Every structure is written in C-alpha cells, then in structure tokens.
Amino acid sequence: MSFFNSIGRSMQRAPRPPRRSTTPTSATFPSTESLPPTTPTGTSAPKPLYLCSPFVEAALVKGNFKTIVMLPKYADVMEWVAVNVFDFYQNLNQFYGVLAECCTQQSCPSMSAGPNLNYTWINQDRKSVQLPAPTYVDYVMTWVQNLLDDENVFPTKSGRDFSQSFPSTVKHVYRQLLRVFAHLYHAHYQQILHLRSEGHFNSLFAHFLAFGKEYELLEVKDIKGQPGALVGVGALWEKWKEMGILEP
C-alpha cells in the first residue's frame, strides 16, 4: 500500500471525534520544515540492553505486525493514517510523561540516540543548535500537538478533507516521533526495565515501525543512521526483522 500514491483518491469519510492529549508547552519553535540534522559525537559503547535477551523478545503482541497495520476494508487510507499517528503520539507522550523525571538537562544535556549520535534542532535563524533532550522532546511534542489541534491538518468534522500536503506533514511528524523513541531506548531503557514496561514499549515501537514501513512514512536512513553516526534502534529494527516481528 503506497500512502503517497493515494493522495488523489476521493475521500468520503465518517466523522472522527476529536481526541487530544495534553503535552507541556514551550517557547516558539521551528516550522514543520525545520527538521534537525544529526551530528556525530562521542565514542563506542557496549551492546545496549534492548538488544539483549530476554529484553529484545519482550512484547505484548506475538508474531508479525503486518496484519495489524493493513488498511481495513472500506477504510480511507488518510483517515487510517491520521488515527494511527494520533495513537502513536498519544501513547509515546504517555510513556515520556512517566520517564520525564529521569530525562533532565543534567542527565540528558543532548538529544542522544546512539553512542556517536546527537540530534540537533534548526532554530528560527536556520541555525543548527544543540538542545537538552527534555527541551528537544518538548518542542517535538508541542509541535505535533498543535498539528493535531489544527482542523486544516487533521480534520475531525464530517465533510472536511485532508489537504494535499498531509502525507508530507505526517512524514515529518513520523521522523520526529522516531527520534523521541530512539532517545528513550538509548538513554532511558533501564528505567523502562525498572517499570517492567519493556513489553509494552517494544510492542508500541514495533507497531510504529511496521506502520511507518507499510505506508512509506519512514526512511531507512532515519531508522539506521549513517556510518559513524548510527541510530541505536537501527540494530533493533534489524534484529526484529531477523526474528520475523517486522517484514524484511
């Protein structure tokens, strides 16, 4: 199913009631086009816990995620993508809310996502800046919340159609949510284990990856990174493909 090839379809939709979650507020931040590049730093690190058994196998859902992400019969692809993106955002936001007290400017002075990778943010002056992880995540979550609240982007009323730019916007949203996932795995997986929530978090992330791949919302380079600046969860993506959890 190609999400981007479906943009020209007629979109007759049933009304979707608005469902919004609360996120922290922050200062103004860049537009949806202002997406941060990556900057390699640091040195190598030991194998992360999320790649070790039994944690890598922990899940609420057994088997392949392909059937979960398939477009239901008679459902509109735009509506299906919108509802799932909202759910991914809401669930990730709730996870981060639980872990927020562990993600501080002191513990996470940069938005790290791998032993040699920090994400940077493009500010309003079009400059790449380093931000503490909690500030970066706050910017992302506030930006996504504002999009969800915008009827021109995520329409909830009957008769309102999605804009032609919706696929591109959702792809930007997906990339930023991936970065939040990547940071939580890299910097806070021990806290997730302490909460005994690894099965929940793994299943949420595997669902997120499977959905993004099915509807072309994710780029492989965003998941795996580049030589010298690898995204930590890129190895998890490969491991889950070997295990049959994700499609090869």
Side-chain angles (χ1 to χ4, degrees):
M1 162 62 68
S2 175
F3 175 43
F4 287 88
N5 288 339
S6 68
I7 188 68
R9 294 178 49 197
S10 173
M11 294 171 283
Q12 299 297 323
R13 308 182 295 113
R16 172 164 54 93
R19 300 177 296 150
R20 305 294 187 238
S21 60
T22 303
T23 56
T25 58
S26 69
T28 56
F29 47 87
S31 67
T32 58
E33 276 70 36
S34 299
L35 297 173
T38 59
T39 302
T41 61
T43 57
S44 60
K47 185 177 181 180
L49 287 174
Y50 56 79
L51 291 177
C52 299
S53 184
F55 310 126
V56 70
E57 295 97 356
L60 299 181
V61 178
K62 301 299 182 182
N64 193 283
F65 276 76
K66 179 74 171 181
T67 56
I68 297 178
V69 303
M70 293 296 293
L71 182 68
K73 191 175 182 181
Y74 305 123
D76 176 75
V77 65
M78 303 293 239
E79 181 72 13
W80 180 240
V81 168
V83 168
N84 276 273
V85 166
F86 171 82
D87 286 340
F88 290 135
Y89 162 78
Q90 184 180 52
N91 288 316
L92 180 58
N93 195 36
Q94 290 174 346
F95 261 107
Y96 181 73
V98 173
L99 298 169
E101 66 181 23
C102 304
C103 187
T104 66
Q105 294 190 12
Q106 291 71 38
S107 65
C108 303
S110 63
M111 186 63 176
S112 57
N116 301 313
L117 172 64
N118 292 327
Y119 293 122
T120 58
W121 189 261
I122 303 297
N123 64 17
Q124 290 182 319
D125 297 325
R126 308 299 299 173
K127 294 182 179 179
S128 177
V129 294
Q130 290 274 3
L131 294 175
T135 303
Y136 189 109
V137 174
D138 177 55
Y139 282 14
V140 170
M141 293 304 193
T142 305
W143 170 61
V144 176
Q145 182 70 65
N146 289 338
L147 289 176
L148 291 170
D149 289 337
D150 189 344
E151 281 287 326
N152 294 317
V153 181
F154 283 83
T156 61
K157 298 177 182 178
S158 179
R160 292 289 300 272
D161 291 338
F162 291 92
S163 70
Q164 294 289 316
S165 63
F166 181 73
S168 177
T169 298
V170 170
K171 194 169 183 179
H172 289 330
V173 169
Y174 229 80
R175 180 185 299 170
Q176 291 294 344
L177 294 182
L178 172 65
R179 293 180 174 194
V180 177
F181 272 113
H183 174 71
L184 294 183
Y185 268 104
H186 174 69
H188 301 293
Y189 199 69
Q190 285 189 336
Q191 286 82 29
I192 293 172
L193 293 178
H194 180 74
L195 295 170
R196 297 183 178 180
S197 297
E198 63 272 19
H200 295 75
F201 198 65
N202 283 355
S203 290
L204 174 61
F205 187 50
H207 188 185
F208 176 86
L209 291 176
F211 193 89
K213 183 175 184 295
E214 179 70 18
Y215 297 96
E216 301 177 3
L217 301 175
L218 285 175
E219 299 284 347
V220 173
K221 65 180 181 180
D222 291 326
I223 302 171
K224 300 180 67 173
Q226 301 178 9
L230 298 177
V231 182
V233 294
L236 188 59
W237 156 274
E238 294 294 341
K239 182 65 175 179
W240 282 344
K241 286 196 295 183
E242 293 175 9
M243 295 167 59
I245 294 173
L246 299 175
E247 289 286 297

